[in-house]
Amino acid sequence: MAILLLLNQVDPTLLEKHLKALPDCPQVRIWPNAGEKNDIKCAIVWKHDEGVLNDFPNLKLIASYGAGVENILSDPALPENVPITRFVDDTLSSQMAEYVLAAILNHRLHITHYRELQAATVWNSGEFLKGKNVTILGMGELGAVTGKSLVQNGYIVSGWSRSQKQIESIKSYYGDDQLRLSVSDADYIVCLLPLTPATTGILNKELFSHAKKGAHVINVGRGDHLNEEDLLDALYNQQISSATLDVYSTEPLPSDHPFWKHPKIHMTPHIASATDKEQVARQILENYNRVLNDMPLNNQVDPEKAY
Ligand code: NDP
Ligand code: OXD
């Protein structure tokens, strides 16, 4: 029996080390050195090559290395009836909450602007921006923790999700009908949705037209949530004042992409919240043992909902 690591854009060696340090860990193999295919019971995947998961006839578990699973579910040759799990972790959630708070503070307090003034030896003080209304699209594991942290920091927070939420001090909007309303009063629109057919391109011209003029957009979900042309237009006509982007349709972002040099876009390279390799190793080994013993899995993905 063996676990196979199929990780693109992630160095598999540290995860291998953490897995092997755990008691009762089976053999760990690293793609493309899968060895005897019949041995593979569990595949840990991140941006795997399409079709490859079909090569393992005894596969019992597909475990996502990260929280998002769109790359797994979009594989047209995904083996049927193999459960999929994803990474859910307190540290992942609290890092995301910190990132979003930092993005808002950077904007409200003009931190980047003062750095530029410093570089130009210019003393020119201004006031903090006043707006403190934040709407979070996606109130799941990351959105809920981010929202609570913003409330603790004095922000007026609302969230939008599929189902209604009861979270203290956070107004809940839900369902397609309430999407426009959810952004209408927001100074900050934060996208923390999973990428699914229903949420692809959700940050678009139509939504921006219902936002408060001058709102700041923070996209930490996936690049394909954002219609890039619509953002550039909305920045140009000042419907959206500025944006903080951590995720992009193409990663790494091509060097000639207009976002790089845009004065109203603050970019980070998909670092808002990173998987802790020790934790993910523990969680996956736990689920591996559960699947072999016909026990319910932790953090299982619902393929119907696509997240
Ligand atoms: P969850 O699955 O826990 O939460 C998803 C939320 O989105 C839920 O509240 C869900 O509603 C809501 N939702 C999904 N589809 C719709 C829809 N059609 N309409 C309205 N609401 C919808 O996900 P996580 O919080 O764990 O992660 C969210 C995403 O964050 C990941 O999928 C990933 O893409 C991204 N991410 C980015 C990272 C980064 O570094 N930039 C790091 C980690 C994750 P309901 O609760 O009603 O089901
Ligand atoms: C994730 C990510 O989905 O890092 O975990 O983007």
Side-chain angles (χ1 to χ4, degrees), residues 35-72:
E36 170 52 51
K37 291 181 176 169
N38 287 312
D39 295 348
I40 306 297
K41 299 273 180 202
C42 166
I44 305 182
V45 298
W46 189 245
K47 302 188 179 177
H48 70 283
D49 298 336
E50 280 180 3
V52 72
L53 290 168
N54 245 329
D55 281 354
F56 308 104
N58 296 321
L59 194 61
K60 296 263 179 295
L61 174 65
I62 299 170
S64 172
Y65 172 79
V69 291
E70 74 285 353
N71 280 307
I72 300 175

PDB file of all heavy atoms in Angstrom, residues 35-72:
ATOM      1  N   GLY A  35       5.769   3.769  -9.219  1.00  0.00           N
ATOM      2  CA  GLY A  35       6.017   2.347  -8.945  1.00  0.00           C
ATOM      3  C   GLY A  35       4.825   1.505  -9.379  1.00  0.00           C
ATOM      4  O   GLY A  35       4.096   1.852 -10.317  1.00  0.00           O
ATOM      5  N   GLU A  36       4.614   0.385  -8.654  1.00  0.00           N
ATOM      6  CA  GLU A  36       3.500  -0.513  -8.977  1.00  0.00           C
ATOM      7  C   GLU A  36       2.158   0.222  -8.773  1.00  0.00           C
ATOM      8  O   GLU A  36       1.832   0.640  -7.648  1.00  0.00           O
ATOM      9  CB  GLU A  36       3.603  -1.756  -8.079  1.00  0.00           C
ATOM     10  CG  GLU A  36       2.419  -2.688  -8.109  1.00  0.00           C
ATOM     11  CD  GLU A  36       2.001  -3.103  -9.524  1.00  0.00           C
ATOM     12  OE1 GLU A  36       2.873  -3.541 -10.294  1.00  0.00           O
ATOM     13  OE2 GLU A  36       0.794  -2.966  -9.843  1.00  0.00           O
ATOM     14  N   LYS A  37       1.392   0.366  -9.843  1.00  0.00           N
ATOM     15  CA  LYS A  37       0.179   1.204  -9.786  1.00  0.00           C
ATOM     16  C   LYS A  37      -0.901   0.634  -8.855  1.00  0.00           C
ATOM     17  O   LYS A  37      -1.670   1.365  -8.263  1.00  0.00           O
ATOM     18  CB  LYS A  37      -0.382   1.394 -11.194  1.00  0.00           C
ATOM     19  CG  LYS A  37       0.541   2.271 -12.022  1.00  0.00           C
ATOM     20  CD  LYS A  37       0.009   2.488 -13.402  1.00  0.00           C
ATOM     21  CE  LYS A  37       0.933   3.448 -14.135  1.00  0.00           C
ATOM     22  NZ  LYS A  37       0.671   3.545 -15.539  1.00  0.00           N
ATOM     23  N   ASN A  38      -0.918  -0.694  -8.746  1.00  0.00           N
ATOM     24  CA  ASN A  38      -1.941  -1.322  -7.893  1.00  0.00           C
ATOM     25  C   ASN A  38      -1.756  -0.962  -6.420  1.00  0.00           C
ATOM     26  O   ASN A  38      -2.687  -1.110  -5.626  1.00  0.00           O
ATOM     27  CB  ASN A  38      -1.889  -2.844  -8.033  1.00  0.00           C
ATOM     28  CG  ASN A  38      -2.449  -3.279  -9.366  1.00  0.00           C
ATOM     29  OD1 ASN A  38      -3.526  -2.822  -9.744  1.00  0.00           O
ATOM     30  ND2 ASN A  38      -1.715  -4.115 -10.080  1.00  0.00           N
ATOM     31  N   ASP A  39      -0.549  -0.545  -6.040  1.00  0.00           N
ATOM     32  CA  ASP A  39      -0.279  -0.237  -4.617  1.00  0.00           C
ATOM     33  C   ASP A  39      -0.918   1.066  -4.162  1.00  0.00           C
ATOM     34  O   ASP A  39      -1.093   1.295  -2.966  1.00  0.00           O
ATOM     35  CB  ASP A  39       1.238  -0.037  -4.375  1.00  0.00           C
ATOM     36  CG  ASP A  39       2.031  -1.303  -4.611  1.00  0.00           C
ATOM     37  OD1 ASP A  39       1.408  -2.365  -4.738  1.00  0.00           O
ATOM     38  OD2 ASP A  39       3.279  -1.192  -4.670  1.00  0.00           O
ATOM     39  N   ILE A  40      -1.210   1.959  -5.115  1.00  0.00           N
ATOM     40  CA  ILE A  40      -1.588   3.326  -4.726  1.00  0.00           C
ATOM     41  C   ILE A  40      -3.030   3.365  -4.221  1.00  0.00           C
ATOM     42  O   ILE A  40      -3.982   3.129  -4.970  1.00  0.00           O
ATOM     43  CB  ILE A  40      -1.423   4.316  -5.916  1.00  0.00           C
ATOM     44  CG1 ILE A  40      -0.011   4.241  -6.491  1.00  0.00           C
ATOM     45  CG2 ILE A  40      -1.800   5.737  -5.519  1.00  0.00           C
ATOM     46  CD1 ILE A  40       1.105   4.646  -5.560  1.00  0.00           C
ATOM     47  N   LYS A  41      -3.166   3.692  -2.933  1.00  0.00           N
ATOM     48  CA  LYS A  41      -4.508   3.777  -2.319  1.00  0.00           C
ATOM     49  C   LYS A  41      -4.958   5.223  -2.170  1.00  0.00           C
ATOM     50  O   LYS A  41      -6.151   5.499  -2.054  1.00  0.00           O
ATOM     51  CB  LYS A  41      -4.476   3.157  -0.906  1.00  0.00           C
ATOM     52  CG  LYS A  41      -4.109   1.709  -0.881  1.00  0.00           C
ATOM     53  CD  LYS A  41      -5.349   0.875  -1.061  1.00  0.00           C
ATOM     54  CE  LYS A  41      -4.937  -0.569  -1.033  1.00  0.00           C
ATOM     55  NZ  LYS A  41      -5.788  -1.479  -1.629  1.00  0.00           N
ATOM     56  N   CYS A  42      -3.977   6.129  -2.045  1.00  0.00           N
ATOM     57  CA  CYS A  42      -4.328   7.522  -1.792  1.00  0.00           C
ATOM     58  C   CYS A  42      -3.436   8.423  -2.644  1.00  0.00           C
ATOM     59  O   CYS A  42      -2.227   8.186  -2.751  1.00  0.00           O
ATOM     60  CB  CYS A  42      -4.119   7.813  -0.303  1.00  0.00           C
ATOM     61  SG  CYS A  42      -4.127   9.549   0.147  1.00  0.00           S
ATOM     62  N   ALA A  43      -4.042   9.451  -3.263  1.00  0.00           N
ATOM     63  CA  ALA A  43      -3.253  10.416  -4.033  1.00  0.00           C
ATOM     64  C   ALA A  43      -3.425  11.785  -3.388  1.00  0.00           C
ATOM     65  O   ALA A  43      -4.552  12.212  -3.120  1.00  0.00           O
ATOM     66  CB  ALA A  43      -3.737  10.457  -5.477  1.00  0.00           C
ATOM     67  N   ILE A  44      -2.299  12.436  -3.104  1.00  0.00           N
ATOM     68  CA  ILE A  44      -2.352  13.819  -2.596  1.00  0.00           C
ATOM     69  C   ILE A  44      -2.049  14.712  -3.790  1.00  0.00           C
ATOM     70  O   ILE A  44      -0.984  14.578  -4.405  1.00  0.00           O
ATOM     71  CB  ILE A  44      -1.333  14.044  -1.462  1.00  0.00           C
ATOM     72  CG1 ILE A  44      -1.548  13.013  -0.351  1.00  0.00           C
ATOM     73  CG2 ILE A  44      -1.440  15.463  -0.938  1.00  0.00           C
ATOM     74  CD1 ILE A  44      -0.622  13.172   0.842  1.00  0.00           C
ATOM     75  N   VAL A  45      -2.996  15.613  -4.115  1.00  0.00           N
ATOM     76  CA  VAL A  45      -2.864  16.305  -5.397  1.00  0.00           C
ATOM     77  C   VAL A  45      -2.916  17.816  -5.261  1.00  0.00           C
ATOM     78  O   VAL A  45      -3.594  18.362  -4.392  1.00  0.00           O
ATOM     79  CB  VAL A  45      -3.959  15.844  -6.393  1.00  0.00           C
ATOM     80  CG1 VAL A  45      -3.852  14.381  -6.698  1.00  0.00           C
ATOM     81  CG2 VAL A  45      -5.345  16.169  -5.892  1.00  0.00           C
ATOM     82  N   TRP A  46      -2.173  18.465  -6.143  1.00  0.00           N
ATOM     83  CA  TRP A  46      -2.255  19.919  -6.315  1.00  0.00           C
ATOM     84  C   TRP A  46      -1.914  20.218  -7.768  1.00  0.00           C
ATOM     85  O   TRP A  46      -0.821  19.933  -8.225  1.00  0.00           O
ATOM     86  CB  TRP A  46      -1.280  20.643  -5.368  1.00  0.00           C
ATOM     87  CG  TRP A  46      -1.494  22.141  -5.355  1.00  0.00           C
ATOM     88  CD1 TRP A  46      -0.625  23.086  -5.793  1.00  0.00           C
ATOM     89  CD2 TRP A  46      -2.653  22.843  -4.877  1.00  0.00           C
ATOM     90  NE1 TRP A  46      -1.172  24.331  -5.614  1.00  0.00           N
ATOM     91  CE2 TRP A  46      -2.425  24.216  -5.055  1.00  0.00           C
ATOM     92  CE3 TRP A  46      -3.882  22.430  -4.329  1.00  0.00           C
ATOM     93  CZ2 TRP A  46      -3.358  25.187  -4.702  1.00  0.00           C
ATOM     94  CZ3 TRP A  46      -4.817  23.398  -3.977  1.00  0.00           C
ATOM     95  CH2 TRP A  46      -4.538  24.755  -4.164  1.00  0.00           C
ATOM     96  N   LYS A  47      -2.903  20.730  -8.512  1.00  0.00           N
ATOM     97  CA  LYS A  47      -2.714  21.064  -9.933  1.00  0.00           C
ATOM     98  C   LYS A  47      -2.152  19.880 -10.707  1.00  0.00           C
ATOM     99  O   LYS A  47      -1.188  20.020 -11.461  1.00  0.00           O
ATOM    100  CB  LYS A  47      -1.829  22.309 -10.077  1.00  0.00           C
ATOM    101  CG  LYS A  47      -2.413  23.515  -9.354  1.00  0.00           C
ATOM    102  CD  LYS A  47      -1.675  24.792  -9.622  1.00  0.00           C
ATOM    103  CE  LYS A  47      -2.372  25.920  -8.861  1.00  0.00           C
ATOM    104  NZ  LYS A  47      -1.770  27.213  -8.952  1.00  0.00           N
ATOM    105  N   HIS A  48      -2.724  18.705 -10.481  1.00  0.00           N
ATOM    106  CA  HIS A  48      -2.233  17.488 -11.122  1.00  0.00           C
ATOM    107  C   HIS A  48      -2.520  17.520 -12.627  1.00  0.00           C
ATOM    108  O   HIS A  48      -3.392  18.268 -13.088  1.00  0.00           O
ATOM    109  CB  HIS A  48      -2.901  16.260 -10.487  1.00  0.00           C
ATOM    110  CG  HIS A  48      -4.357  16.153 -10.833  1.00  0.00           C
ATOM    111  ND1 HIS A  48      -5.331  16.931 -10.244  1.00  0.00           N
ATOM    112  CD2 HIS A  48      -5.010  15.387 -11.738  1.00  0.00           C
ATOM    113  CE1 HIS A  48      -6.503  16.638 -10.766  1.00  0.00           C
ATOM    114  NE2 HIS A  48      -6.340  15.698 -11.670  1.00  0.00           N
ATOM    115  N   ASP A  49      -1.802  16.674 -13.376  1.00  0.00           N
ATOM    116  CA  ASP A  49      -2.039  16.591 -14.821  1.00  0.00           C
ATOM    117  C   ASP A  49      -3.337  15.807 -15.066  1.00  0.00           C
ATOM    118  O   ASP A  49      -3.540  14.745 -14.466  1.00  0.00           O
ATOM    119  CB  ASP A  49      -0.870  15.873 -15.516  1.00  0.00           C
ATOM    120  CG  ASP A  49       0.430  16.633 -15.327  1.00  0.00           C
ATOM    121  OD1 ASP A  49       0.359  17.854 -15.091  1.00  0.00           O
ATOM    122  OD2 ASP A  49       1.512  16.004 -15.392  1.00  0.00           O
ATOM    123  N   GLU A  50      -4.162  16.351 -15.946  1.00  0.00           N
ATOM    124  CA  GLU A  50      -5.464  15.716 -16.232  1.00  0.00           C
ATOM    125  C   GLU A  50      -5.304  14.258 -16.648  1.00  0.00           C
ATOM    126  O   GLU A  50      -4.398  13.931 -17.408  1.00  0.00           O
ATOM    127  CB  GLU A  50      -6.173  16.461 -17.372  1.00  0.00           C
ATOM    128  CG  GLU A  50      -6.848  17.715 -16.911  1.00  0.00           C
ATOM    129  CD  GLU A  50      -7.547  18.452 -18.050  1.00  0.00           C
ATOM    130  OE1 GLU A  50      -7.559  17.958 -19.200  1.00  0.00           O
ATOM    131  OE2 GLU A  50      -8.081  19.535 -17.772  1.00  0.00           O
ATOM    132  N   GLY A  51      -6.185  13.419 -16.157  1.00  0.00           N
ATOM    133  CA  GLY A  51      -6.246  12.030 -16.604  1.00  0.00           C
ATOM    134  C   GLY A  51      -5.388  11.087 -15.794  1.00  0.00           C
ATOM    135  O   GLY A  51      -5.642   9.884 -15.755  1.00  0.00           O
ATOM    136  N   VAL A  52      -4.377  11.622 -15.117  1.00  0.00           N
ATOM    137  CA  VAL A  52      -3.390  10.749 -14.482  1.00  0.00           C
ATOM    138  C   VAL A  52      -3.984   9.932 -13.316  1.00  0.00           C
ATOM    139  O   VAL A  52      -3.559   8.799 -13.066  1.00  0.00           O
ATOM    140  CB  VAL A  52      -2.153  11.595 -14.058  1.00  0.00           C
ATOM    141  CG1 VAL A  52      -2.457  12.477 -12.890  1.00  0.00           C
ATOM    142  CG2 VAL A  52      -0.971  10.719 -13.775  1.00  0.00           C
ATOM    143  N   LEU A  53      -5.013  10.478 -12.667  1.00  0.00           N
ATOM    144  CA  LEU A  53      -5.578   9.769 -11.505  1.00  0.00           C
ATOM    145  C   LEU A  53      -6.288   8.476 -11.904  1.00  0.00           C
ATOM    146  O   LEU A  53      -6.528   7.605 -11.074  1.00  0.00           O
ATOM    147  CB  LEU A  53      -6.550  10.691 -10.747  1.00  0.00           C
ATOM    148  CG  LEU A  53      -5.885  11.854 -10.009  1.00  0.00           C
ATOM    149  CD1 LEU A  53      -6.919  12.868  -9.532  1.00  0.00           C
ATOM    150  CD2 LEU A  53      -5.072  11.346  -8.823  1.00  0.00           C
ATOM    151  N   ASN A  54      -6.588   8.368 -13.192  1.00  0.00           N
ATOM    152  CA  ASN A  54      -7.261   7.170 -13.681  1.00  0.00           C
ATOM    153  C   ASN A  54      -6.348   5.961 -13.805  1.00  0.00           C
ATOM    154  O   ASN A  54      -6.807   4.857 -14.087  1.00  0.00           O
ATOM    155  CB  ASN A  54      -7.860   7.472 -15.057  1.00  0.00           C
ATOM    156  CG  ASN A  54      -9.346   7.405 -15.001  1.00  0.00           C
ATOM    157  OD1 ASN A  54      -9.889   6.636 -14.217  1.00  0.00           O
ATOM    158  ND2 ASN A  54     -10.013   8.199 -15.808  1.00  0.00           N
ATOM    159  N   ASP A  55      -5.051   6.198 -13.597  1.00  0.00           N
ATOM    160  CA  ASP A  55      -4.073   5.112 -13.778  1.00  0.00           C
ATOM    161  C   ASP A  55      -4.008   4.147 -12.595  1.00  0.00           C
ATOM    162  O   ASP A  55      -3.263   3.182 -12.640  1.00  0.00           O
ATOM    163  CB  ASP A  55      -2.662   5.715 -13.931  1.00  0.00           C
ATOM    164  CG  ASP A  55      -2.435   6.239 -15.327  1.00  0.00           C
ATOM    165  OD1 ASP A  55      -3.327   6.027 -16.168  1.00  0.00           O
ATOM    166  OD2 ASP A  55      -1.381   6.855 -15.562  1.00  0.00           O
ATOM    167  N   PHE A  56      -4.734   4.482 -11.503  1.00  0.00           N
ATOM    168  CA  PHE A  56      -4.540   3.710 -10.271  1.00  0.00           C
ATOM    169  C   PHE A  56      -5.823   2.969  -9.893  1.00  0.00           C
ATOM    170  O   PHE A  56      -6.745   3.553  -9.300  1.00  0.00           O
ATOM    171  CB  PHE A  56      -4.060   4.657  -9.148  1.00  0.00           C
ATOM    172  CG  PHE A  56      -2.875   5.452  -9.591  1.00  0.00           C
ATOM    173  CD1 PHE A  56      -3.000   6.792  -9.941  1.00  0.00           C
ATOM    174  CD2 PHE A  56      -1.638   4.842  -9.742  1.00  0.00           C
ATOM    175  CE1 PHE A  56      -1.918   7.510 -10.410  1.00  0.00           C
ATOM    176  CE2 PHE A  56      -0.548   5.554 -10.210  1.00  0.00           C
ATOM    177  CZ  PHE A  56      -0.690   6.884 -10.541  1.00  0.00           C
ATOM    178  N   PRO A  57      -5.909   1.695 -10.233  1.00  0.00           N
ATOM    179  CA  PRO A  57      -7.175   0.963 -10.098  1.00  0.00           C
ATOM    180  C   PRO A  57      -7.640   0.799  -8.654  1.00  0.00           C
ATOM    181  O   PRO A  57      -8.836   0.609  -8.414  1.00  0.00           O
ATOM    182  CB  PRO A  57      -6.864  -0.411 -10.727  1.00  0.00           C
ATOM    183  CG  PRO A  57      -5.382  -0.504 -10.803  1.00  0.00           C
ATOM    184  CD  PRO A  57      -4.842   0.883 -10.831  1.00  0.00           C
ATOM    185  N   ASN A  58      -6.711   0.898  -7.678  1.00  0.00           N
ATOM    186  CA  ASN A  58      -7.120   0.677  -6.282  1.00  0.00           C
ATOM    187  C   ASN A  58      -7.204   1.964  -5.471  1.00  0.00           C
ATOM    188  O   ASN A  58      -7.196   1.927  -4.228  1.00  0.00           O
ATOM    189  CB  ASN A  58      -6.148  -0.301  -5.607  1.00  0.00           C
ATOM    190  CG  ASN A  58      -6.212  -1.664  -6.274  1.00  0.00           C
ATOM    191  OD1 ASN A  58      -7.300  -2.119  -6.640  1.00  0.00           O
ATOM    192  ND2 ASN A  58      -5.068  -2.297  -6.497  1.00  0.00           N
ATOM    193  N   LEU A  59      -7.300   3.100  -6.183  1.00  0.00           N
ATOM    194  CA  LEU A  59      -7.345   4.390  -5.492  1.00  0.00           C
ATOM    195  C   LEU A  59      -8.611   4.499  -4.629  1.00  0.00           C
ATOM    196  O   LEU A  59      -9.719   4.268  -5.098  1.00  0.00           O
ATOM    197  CB  LEU A  59      -7.344   5.510  -6.553  1.00  0.00           C
ATOM    198  CG  LEU A  59      -7.055   6.918  -6.063  1.00  0.00           C
ATOM    199  CD1 LEU A  59      -5.663   7.001  -5.432  1.00  0.00           C
ATOM    200  CD2 LEU A  59      -7.154   7.922  -7.222  1.00  0.00           C
ATOM    201  N   LYS A  60      -8.411   4.857  -3.356  1.00  0.00           N
ATOM    202  CA  LYS A  60      -9.548   4.946  -2.423  1.00  0.00           C
ATOM    203  C   LYS A  60      -9.806   6.371  -1.961  1.00  0.00           C
ATOM    204  O   LYS A  60     -10.843   6.676  -1.374  1.00  0.00           O
ATOM    205  CB  LYS A  60      -9.255   4.104  -1.158  1.00  0.00           C
ATOM    206  CG  LYS A  60      -9.107   2.629  -1.389  1.00  0.00           C
ATOM    207  CD  LYS A  60     -10.442   1.952  -1.083  1.00  0.00           C
ATOM    208  CE  LYS A  60     -10.438   0.470  -1.308  1.00  0.00           C
ATOM    209  NZ  LYS A  60     -10.247   0.092  -2.707  1.00  0.00           N
ATOM    210  N   LEU A  61      -8.806   7.246  -2.147  1.00  0.00           N
ATOM    211  CA  LEU A  61      -8.944   8.619  -1.621  1.00  0.00           C
ATOM    212  C   LEU A  61      -8.134   9.582  -2.480  1.00  0.00           C
ATOM    213  O   LEU A  61      -6.959   9.319  -2.770  1.00  0.00           O
ATOM    214  CB  LEU A  61      -8.433   8.655  -0.172  1.00  0.00           C
ATOM    215  CG  LEU A  61      -8.358  10.023   0.507  1.00  0.00           C
ATOM    216  CD1 LEU A  61      -9.747  10.623   0.687  1.00  0.00           C
ATOM    217  CD2 LEU A  61      -7.672   9.909   1.879  1.00  0.00           C
ATOM    218  N   ILE A  62      -8.785  10.696  -2.850  1.00  0.00           N
ATOM    219  CA  ILE A  62      -8.073  11.803  -3.508  1.00  0.00           C
ATOM    220  C   ILE A  62      -8.091  12.950  -2.505  1.00  0.00           C
ATOM    221  O   ILE A  62      -9.164  13.444  -2.130  1.00  0.00           O
ATOM    222  CB  ILE A  62      -8.768  12.227  -4.818  1.00  0.00           C
ATOM    223  CG1 ILE A  62      -8.783  11.047  -5.802  1.00  0.00           C
ATOM    224  CG2 ILE A  62      -8.068  13.438  -5.438  1.00  0.00           C
ATOM    225  CD1 ILE A  62      -9.647  11.274  -7.038  1.00  0.00           C
ATOM    226  N   ALA A  63      -6.902  13.352  -2.042  1.00  0.00           N
ATOM    227  CA  ALA A  63      -6.816  14.380  -0.998  1.00  0.00           C
ATOM    228  C   ALA A  63      -6.189  15.632  -1.588  1.00  0.00           C
ATOM    229  O   ALA A  63      -5.061  15.593  -2.084  1.00  0.00           O
ATOM    230  CB  ALA A  63      -5.984  13.861   0.174  1.00  0.00           C
ATOM    231  N   SER A  64      -6.918  16.735  -1.510  1.00  0.00           N
ATOM    232  CA  SER A  64      -6.360  17.993  -2.013  1.00  0.00           C
ATOM    233  C   SER A  64      -5.329  18.517  -1.023  1.00  0.00           C
ATOM    234  O   SER A  64      -5.583  18.570   0.182  1.00  0.00           O
ATOM    235  CB  SER A  64      -7.470  19.031  -2.200  1.00  0.00           C
ATOM    236  OG  SER A  64      -6.898  20.282  -2.499  1.00  0.00           O
ATOM    237  N   TYR A  65      -4.208  18.954  -1.560  1.00  0.00           N
ATOM    238  CA  TYR A  65      -3.157  19.561  -0.736  1.00  0.00           C
ATOM    239  C   TYR A  65      -3.627  20.909  -0.175  1.00  0.00           C
ATOM    240  O   TYR A  65      -3.159  21.351   0.864  1.00  0.00           O
ATOM    241  CB  TYR A  65      -1.915  19.736  -1.616  1.00  0.00           C
ATOM    242  CG  TYR A  65      -0.806  20.517  -1.004  1.00  0.00           C
ATOM    243  CD1 TYR A  65       0.060  19.934  -0.081  1.00  0.00           C
ATOM    244  CD2 TYR A  65      -0.597  21.851  -1.356  1.00  0.00           C
ATOM    245  CE1 TYR A  65       1.096  20.665   0.486  1.00  0.00           C
ATOM    246  CE2 TYR A  65       0.436  22.580  -0.797  1.00  0.00           C
ATOM    247  CZ  TYR A  65       1.273  21.986   0.126  1.00  0.00           C
ATOM    248  OH  TYR A  65       2.291  22.715   0.678  1.00  0.00           O
ATOM    249  N   GLY A  66      -4.576  21.552  -0.868  1.00  0.00           N
ATOM    250  CA  GLY A  66      -5.047  22.872  -0.432  1.00  0.00           C
ATOM    251  C   GLY A  66      -6.537  22.869  -0.145  1.00  0.00           C
ATOM    252  O   GLY A  66      -7.205  21.820  -0.176  1.00  0.00           O
ATOM    253  N   ALA A  67      -7.056  24.076   0.119  1.00  0.00           N
ATOM    254  CA  ALA A  67      -8.488  24.226   0.409  1.00  0.00           C
ATOM    255  C   ALA A  67      -9.328  24.143  -0.864  1.00  0.00           C
ATOM    256  O   ALA A  67     -10.420  23.584  -0.867  1.00  0.00           O
ATOM    257  CB  ALA A  67      -8.724  25.567   1.103  1.00  0.00           C
ATOM    258  N   GLY A  68      -8.820  24.722  -1.934  1.00  0.00           N
ATOM    259  CA  GLY A  68      -9.584  24.761  -3.181  1.00  0.00           C
ATOM    260  C   GLY A  68      -9.457  23.444  -3.943  1.00  0.00           C
ATOM    261  O   GLY A  68      -8.401  22.830  -3.962  1.00  0.00           O
ATOM    262  N   VAL A  69     -10.550  23.028  -4.586  1.00  0.00           N
ATOM    263  CA  VAL A  69     -10.546  21.726  -5.277  1.00  0.00           C
ATOM    264  C   VAL A  69     -10.934  21.832  -6.740  1.00  0.00           C
ATOM    265  O   VAL A  69     -11.189  20.831  -7.401  1.00  0.00           O
ATOM    266  CB  VAL A  69     -11.483  20.719  -4.569  1.00  0.00           C
ATOM    267  CG1 VAL A  69     -10.919  20.310  -3.222  1.00  0.00           C
ATOM    268  CG2 VAL A  69     -12.887  21.282  -4.413  1.00  0.00           C
ATOM    269  N   GLU A  70     -10.982  23.066  -7.268  1.00  0.00           N
ATOM    270  CA  GLU A  70     -11.455  23.232  -8.640  1.00  0.00           C
ATOM    271  C   GLU A  70     -10.581  22.498  -9.644  1.00  0.00           C
ATOM    272  O   GLU A  70     -11.078  22.003 -10.659  1.00  0.00           O
ATOM    273  CB  GLU A  70     -11.589  24.725  -8.991  1.00  0.00           C
ATOM    274  CG  GLU A  70     -10.294  25.493  -9.225  1.00  0.00           C
ATOM    275  CD  GLU A  70      -9.511  25.815  -7.965  1.00  0.00           C
ATOM    276  OE1 GLU A  70     -10.014  25.577  -6.853  1.00  0.00           O
ATOM    277  OE2 GLU A  70      -8.374  26.303  -8.088  1.00  0.00           O
ATOM    278  N   ASN A  71      -9.289  22.389  -9.353  1.00  0.00           N
ATOM    279  CA  ASN A  71      -8.405  21.685 -10.294  1.00  0.00           C
ATOM    280  C   ASN A  71      -8.655  20.179 -10.311  1.00  0.00           C
ATOM    281  O   ASN A  71      -8.384  19.516 -11.299  1.00  0.00           O
ATOM    282  CB  ASN A  71      -6.934  21.936  -9.944  1.00  0.00           C
ATOM    283  CG  ASN A  71      -6.485  23.288 -10.455  1.00  0.00           C
ATOM    284  OD1 ASN A  71      -6.654  23.582 -11.634  1.00  0.00           O
ATOM    285  ND2 ASN A  71      -5.964  24.114  -9.572  1.00  0.00           N
ATOM    286  N   ILE A  72      -9.134  19.663  -9.208  1.00  0.00           N
ATOM    287  CA  ILE A  72      -9.461  18.231  -9.163  1.00  0.00           C
ATOM    288  C   ILE A  72     -10.771  17.999  -9.917  1.00  0.00           C
ATOM    289  O   ILE A  72     -10.853  17.164 -10.821  1.00  0.00           O
ATOM    290  CB  ILE A  72      -9.600  17.740  -7.698  1.00  0.00           C
ATOM    291  CG1 ILE A  72      -8.289  17.966  -6.935  1.00  0.00           C
ATOM    292  CG2 ILE A  72     -10.011  16.272  -7.663  1.00  0.00           C
ATOM    293  CD1 ILE A  72      -8.358  17.621  -5.460  1.00  0.00           C
TER     294      ILE A  72
END
